[in-house]
Amino acid sequence: MSTLSPAVQSAVQPMKPTGSYSSLEQLAAKATFTTEKKPQKPLPILSRPISKGKAEVSLSAFSFMFSEFIQYCIPRVTNTSELEKRLSEAGYTIGNRILELISFREKNYKRETKLISILTFISFTIWKLLFSKNADLLEKSTEEPDEYMITENQPLSLTKFISTPKDYQGFNCASFVAGIVEGILDAADFGARVTAHSMPLKGQKHPKTVILIKFNPDVIARSDLNP
Amino acid sequence: MAAATKPNYARVGEQVFKEVEKVNAELFTLTYGAIVAQLLRDHEDVEAVNEQLEKMGYNIGLRLIEEFLARSGVPRCSDFKETAEVISKVGFKMFLGVTASVVNWDPKKNEYSLILEENPLIDFVEVPEQYQSLVYSNILCGVLRGALEMVQMSVECRFVRDVLKGDDASEIKVTLKAILAEEVPVGED
């Protein structure tokens, strides 16, 4: 050791413990103290990575939460259309955020400019996110030029555990989904009024759900100029 | 030796979760966010919102326990400590797809803490300055209270650490207040 140069000597000096330990317990206590992680300040929210979107929760957890929300709203509204409006508003905020998230994650910020493409985006990509399947039917109304309909033959998974009592006839829990669609369309600059309707289907016990989209006149005018 | 005969709760939880119908977690997160935002709009006082969230959770818990018992088939727990294991490994997994860990079991006060590393309710969430006293995930405390009450345990749950307030994990402290006597419903014998 003494033949080495001072610089090298200091480098090869054996590690000295920082204190002297009278017993093994003290050493163990010291060791756990020094290996404790310094608490890290969590990253600010905008710097955190976005999840891949594969996480899932059980449908019943969602249904419980959704049903509690409806029960919370009921004493605060006076009629069914107000209740539908509340659900639709809740869905609206969700729709805004879903569009941002999906545009970033799956479409690499590509923005839809054509009417048909935003509708197919909703009936395929968004439906896949919400219901794990594509929409059954997307059609253009023959009577009104500004109306489109997305149809689901089977009861929506989000609302299938909900039964409406007799005095709430005319109320449709799918207004929540309609709100989501409206939020997406508004955020994508295709202003529309979106409502949900149930239509009885021949030969099927459950009515089919129709999401009716009525676009604003300026959107239709814009799409006529730019087909 | 006793540990070997106890069912592997983590495996039970995963098995049940595999079988239940699932929905996208982000939709769940966003819906909860919309609900909390609605509550904040309706109430002026943040404490009232915390209470309302707990109450909503309580109502959910009363019904959730039935589904839990039906789907998981977990046998009766032998003591309060075992309920902690069942809740953290089977309950949370089955409904939220995440597991919690049980720490700080205190036999004298009959309490333990559940540590949640991941919480699907709080993805993408940031609580603004003026709502710092909001307990965002308080619905979970209500769910635990409601569910345990239906199995004859009166508990008190509260958040002691919250990721949204800057901590590195969320911690719920669960304290057993009383064992409730089983009441025979009127008309039955």
Side-chain angles (χ1 to χ4, degrees), chain A residues 55 57-60 72 105 129, chain B residues 21 23 26 39 42 67 95:
Chain A
V57 296
S58 78
L59 178 62
S60 36
Y72 165 79
R105 192 157 61 200
L129 180 82
Chain B
E21 225 177 300
V23 78
E26 289 168 347
L39 287 177
D42 286 341
E67 175 159 353
F95 290 103

Side-chain angles (χ1 to χ4, degrees), chain A residues 13 15 53 64-65 81 83 86 99-100 106 110 119 124 137-138 140 143 157 162 198 221 223 227:
Chain A
Q13 218 169 38
M15 282 265 287
F64 277 126
M65 193 171 72
S81 55
L83 189 56
R86 276 221 175 199
L99 180 67
E100 269 193 54
E106 291 183 25
K110 179 163 173 288
L119 284 173
F124 288 95
L137 199 55
L138 167 67
K140 185 169 151 62
E143 294 143 31
S157 62
I162 299 178
S198 313
S223 81

Side-chain angles (χ1 to χ4, degrees), chain B residues 52-140:
Chain B
Q52 183 68 49
L53 282 174
E54 213 266 352
K55 199 153 69 144
M56 284 169 79
Y58 177 76
N59 292 337
I60 292 178
L62 297 177
R63 292 158 41 212
L64 182 134
I65 184 73
E66 278 189 38
E67 175 159 353
F68 172 77
L69 292 172
R71 282 199 196 270
S72 66
V74 169
R76 203 182 188 78
C77 291
S78 49
D79 57 10
F80 188 58
K81 187 167 180 214
E82 208 176 323
T83 65
E85 276 303 307
V86 171
I87 290 172
S88 60
K89 302 285 174 301
V90 188
F92 271 96
K93 183 72 186 177
M94 196 168 125
F95 290 103
L96 298 178
V98 297
T99 48
S101 17
V102 183
V103 299
N104 297 345
W105 162 246
D106 186 344
K108 279 200 301 284
K109 290 192 251 168
N110 255 335
E111 63 184 23
Y112 57 84
S113 286
L114 291 166
I115 306 274
L116 274 172
E117 301 272 332
E118 286 170 13
N119 183 353
L121 294 174
I122 61 169
D123 284 338
F124 315 128
V125 176
E126 190 178 41
V127 180
E129 279 296 316
Q130 70 261 40
Y131 297 121
Q132 272 306 307
S133 56
L134 174 71
V135 185
Y136 188 83
S137 313
N138 214 16
I139 203 169
L140 293 177

Side-chain angles (χ1 to χ4, degrees), chain A residues 130-174:
Chain A
L130 299 179
F131 307 111
S132 317
K133 62 187 268 295
N134 293 337
D136 283 340
L137 199 55
L138 167 67
E139 49 194 357
K140 185 169 151 62
S141 161
T142 44
E143 294 143 31
E144 307 278 335
D146 53 355
E147 278 184 8
Y148 289 78
M149 293 169 294
I150 300 180
T151 312
E152 275 294 320
N153 292 328
Q154 294 301 321
L156 296 176
S157 62
L158 297 182
T159 56
K160 77 177 181 190
F161 294 120
I162 299 178
S163 58
T164 46
K166 285 244 164 24
D167 43 338
Y168 281 84
Q169 279 312 317
F171 165 66
N172 198 327
C173 289

